[in-house]
Amino acid sequence: MFIMFIFLLLLFGVLLIGLGKRIQAIYVCIASLFLATVVFLHDITDIVGLSL
Amino acid sequence: MMSFFRRMTIEQLGNIFEFAGVIIMLLLALFFQFWLGELPCPLCLLQRVGFIGVAFGFILNFRFGFRPSHYSIILLSALFTSFVALRQVALHVIPGTGAYGSPIFGMHLYTWSFIFAMLIVIITAVLLGFDRQYKATEPSSRLWLYIVRTLYVVMVFIIIANLVSVFLECGFHECPDNPESYSLTL
């Protein structure tokens, strides 16, 4: 489910680019990368322990 | 048309070349999924996220001009992709542990993913070193704007395709480690 949310964030970010909102789009992209990192860490370690 | 490409700077050519490569990788992944029926695992999906992040940085360059912050997005996304791909390679590198998906020219998609992500890191590190691209430039030609808009539409299509496929594959639950069928159907 979180992966779907990441794709939604990326879609939102790309739409922000289309609207000319550069800084907001960059923030959204960084947020999606951060979320993807959390998901990856959960996948490899289970230390994060989120209920995905 | 050829005169347009001859007038392009090396930074523009490099960006277009890398962006095209990323789009080809993403379309290849979709081809494997929808035509060959090989559903992506969670690590595969994270690699797609990484490549879309790389494409995101290139679209920022095309839309707002070349900036170091955009190259930073590209590098971070490519490094993330390489870590995830390397994890998947490590899971299957021991003989007898099997593999995920069909090979292309002897190597699987996750191996190609790692190679390509590292190539992106190297080429981008070279490209961002050209200082002239950060100075004010003359207005873009109509052909360049047309190309940028087309690439933008392609990227939106790819993200929507991935979003729909993830929803069909996983629904509102954690994605299965070895998916064999979609959990939801249209």
Side-chain angles (χ1 to χ4, degrees), chain B residues 5-173:
Chain B
F5 284 106
R6 271 196 288 268
R7 281 200 305 271
M8 284 173 81
T9 61
I10 192 166
E11 306 87 58
Q12 285 176 318
L13 278 172
N15 273 259
I16 289 277
F17 171 72
E18 281 191 278
F19 184 80
V22 169
I23 293 299
I24 288 170
M25 282 293 286
L26 289 167
L27 288 175
L28 198 60
L30 289 173
F31 170 78
F32 267 68
Q33 179 177 351
F34 291 114
W35 267 263
L36 302 182
E38 294 180 7
L39 272 63
C41 61
L43 287 177
C44 310
L45 291 170
L46 287 176
Q47 287 165 63
R48 292 185 189 188
V49 165
F51 278 125
I52 291 174
V54 170
F56 201 99
F58 286 120
I59 285 287
L60 283 168
N61 269 342
F62 298 145
R63 175 70 173 81
F64 299 108
F66 300 105
R67 300 196 193 198
S69 55
H70 304 164
Y71 283 116
S72 170
I73 297 273
I74 293 168
L75 285 174
L76 288 172
S77 300
L79 279 172
F80 172 79
T81 309
S82 68
F83 283 133
V84 177
L86 196 58
R87 155 73 177 172
Q88 196 164 9
V89 168
L91 283 172
H92 301 293
V93 73
I94 305 288
T97 52
Y100 194 88
S102 304
I104 303 175
F105 298 121
M107 293 193 289
H108 292 84
L109 264 183
Y110 42 85
T111 310
W112 285 114
S113 183
F114 173 75
I115 292 170
F116 194 62
M118 292 315 298
L119 275 175
I120 289 173
V121 169
I122 293 167
I123 296 172
T124 304
V126 171
L127 281 179
L128 67 86
F130 290 95
D131 288 336
R132 65 180 178 190
Q133 65 187 310
Y134 307 124
K135 297 181 177 63
T137 56
E138 59 194 39
S140 304
S141 67
R142 284 180 65 184
L143 182 55
W144 175 255
L145 290 173
Y146 176 77
I147 290 173
V148 167
R149 284 198 196 104
T150 305
L151 294 176
Y152 177 82
V153 168
V154 167
M155 192 170 158
V156 169
F157 163 77
I158 286 175
I159 295 174
I160 290 173
N162 276 287
L163 180 62
V164 169
S165 82
V166 169
F167 178 67
L168 292 177
E169 184 183 326
C170 311
F172 293 107
H173 309 287

Side-chain angles (χ1 to χ4, degrees), chain A residues 20-44:
Chain A
K21 309 280 186 191
R22 180 179 153 265
I23 298 296
Q24 292 87 337
I26 289 174
Y27 285 155
V28 168
C29 181
I30 291 170
S32 63
L33 270 180
F34 174 75
L35 198 56
T37 304
V38 169
V39 173
F40 178 54
L41 286 175
H42 170 79
D43 184 84
I44 64 174

Side-chain angles (χ1 to χ4, degrees), chain A:
Chain A
M1 189 183 97
F2 265 85
I3 297 179
M4 187 174 68
F5 187 58
I6 293 169
F7 278 112
L8 262 173
L9 265 181
L10 285 169
L11 181 63
F12 180 56
V14 168
L15 293 176
L16 281 174
I17 292 176
L19 291 171
K21 309 280 186 191
R22 180 179 153 265
I23 298 296
Q24 292 87 337
I26 289 174
Y27 285 155
V28 168
C29 181
I30 291 170
S32 63
L33 270 180
F34 174 75
L35 198 56
T37 304
V38 169
V39 173
F40 178 54
L41 286 175
H42 170 79
D43 184 84
I44 64 174
T45 64
D46 272 330
I47 288 176
V48 177
L50 294 175
S51 175
L52 298 177

